[in-house]
Amino acid sequence: MIDTHAHIYASEFDNDRDQVVERALAQGISKILLPNIDLDSIEPMLTTEAAYPQICRSMMGLHPCYVDGNVEQTLTTIHSWFNKHSFIAVGEIGIDLYWDKTYKVEQEYAFVTQLNWAKEMQLPVVIHTRDSIEETLALLEKEQDGSLSGVFHCFGGSVEEAKAINQLGFHLGLGGVSTFKNGGMDKVIPQLDMNYVILETDCPYLAPVPHRGKRNEPAYTQLVAQRVADLRQMSLQQIDELTTRNAKTLFNL
Ligand SMILES: [Zn+2]
């Protein structure tokens, strides 16, 4: 099983990162993919990757919540990292209009710029959206020339949104939200195209039931998989095989 979206380099894990990785391995999690956030997260992310080279793989990108008036300069620095290190994806990138709309134009600029890096480097992209699915899909549709692939991470939308995402050739990252009783995903997950589903935690955030509200960790990918298996009336092993296959193909693992 692969946790395709985990921030285990975050300071929340500084006291017990070894144990967190051990618990993940014990639950059958063989790979943990690390999305970058901003300039400050690069160093801890690469240090974590170096500490667990068989398990952790890093991405490089600028998260929309960290886009500001300095976007041009920040993107130049982020881009320079692709010449210094091997990354499995451009991420996480996207648009977030939930917290702050001040830099909407800059967010869109950063998103499109990074989509074009992905095309040039033939890397998948990991997309974060919040209150911005229409804006994100419109830009992606404009940029999709057949060479872009990736995932809408932390998917919690409707069946229609899932179809629109799949039609653009993109995957859906299912995480803790899938297990929330009031999340509505019990109606959506049975209707998803399983060829486009991958699993994630987005830890330390969004822990699945029964750990909701507490710190999340990669071992809990198992709980998300079990929830998907229950809703699809499939075995855990079938969900594991399908989603692992999808993740390996998408991220070239
Ligand atoms: Zn994230």
Side-chain angles (χ1 to χ4, degrees):
M1 207 172 285
I2 298 174
D3 183 352
T4 61
H5 197 111
H7 302 274
I8 59 161
Y9 56 80
S11 59
E12 283 89 338
F13 298 103
D14 281 353
N15 292 328
D16 64 344
R17 196 168 286 109
D18 283 346
Q19 289 94 307
V20 164
V21 172
E22 264 167 45
R23 281 198 291 273
L25 289 172
Q27 289 293 323
I29 317 299
S30 57
K31 288 266 181 290
I32 301 172
L33 309 187
L34 314 178
N36 190 51
I37 297 287
D38 63 0
L39 296 179
D40 294 334
S41 56
I42 297 172
E43 198 266 332
M45 178 182 72
L46 294 179
T47 304
T48 300
E49 182 187 49
Y52 314 101
Q54 308 300 324
I55 302 154
C56 294
R57 296 296 308 276
S58 293
M59 312 173 193
M60 182 50 68
L62 178 60
H63 188 293
C65 290
Y66 297 83
V67 168
D68 58 20
N70 249 339
V71 63
E72 195 76 56
Q73 208 180 333
T74 310
L75 284 175
T76 301
T77 308
I78 296 270
H79 188 251
S80 71
W81 274 97
F82 285 100
N83 301 320
K84 294 187 260 188
H85 191 91
S86 159
F87 297 99
I88 52 155
V90 178
E92 55 185 294
I93 66 174
I95 300 174
D96 189 319
L97 303 176
Y98 176 79
W99 296 107
D100 191 357
K101 295 184 180 71
T102 312
Y103 296 109
K104 182 171 190 266
V105 172
E106 288 84 354
Q107 283 194 31
E108 293 183 352
Y109 170 77
F111 181 49
V112 170
T113 301
Q114 294 180 95
L115 286 178
N116 280 286
W117 296 349
K119 287 195 230 177
E120 281 160 30
M121 295 183 284
Q122 296 187 299
L123 286 174
V125 295
V126 171
I127 297 178
H128 166 110
T129 66
R130 197 157 181 200
D131 285 358
S132 61
I133 189 78
E134 277 170 32
E135 288 88 344
T136 307
L137 283 172
L139 289 173
L140 195 56
E141 205 172 341
K142 224 186 279 175
E143 293 301 325
Q144 179 56 291
D145 59 1
S147 69
L148 278 172
S149 66
V151 58
F152 278 63
H153 110 82
C154 193
F155 180 73
S158 64
V159 176
E160 290 68 36
E161 285 168 0
K163 282 189 179 141
I165 289 166
N166 295 162
Q167 263 160 22
L168 284 169
F170 276 66
H171 287 68
L172 307 162
L174 297 185
V177 174
S178 305
T179 70
F180 295 174
K181 301 280 179 263
N182 54 358
M185 292 302 284
D186 54 327
K187 307 279 189 305
V188 174
I189 287 172
Q191 297 189 61
L192 297 180
D193 181 342
M194 287 305 292
N195 292 317
Y196 286 101
V197 170
I198 61 176
L199 304 176
E200 64 168 67
T201 57
D202 200 16
C203 64
Y205 317 107
L206 295 167
V209 173
H211 306 289
R212 191 173 180 180
K214 307 219 180 70
R215 187 187 72 171
N216 198 358
E217 62 174 70
Y220 299 166
T221 311
Q222 185 80 226
L223 295 167
V224 178
Q226 187 62 59
R227 169 75 164 167
V228 176
D230 293 346
L231 289 170
R232 302 284 308 201
Q233 294 178 301
M234 292 166 81
S235 71
L236 182 65
Q237 195 192 337
Q238 282 175 306
I239 297 300
D240 179 3
E241 281 170 12
L242 270 170
T243 56
T244 301
R245 182 202 67 190
N246 294 343
K248 279 185 172 170
T249 308
L250 178 60
F251 293 106
N252 237 319
L253 297 169

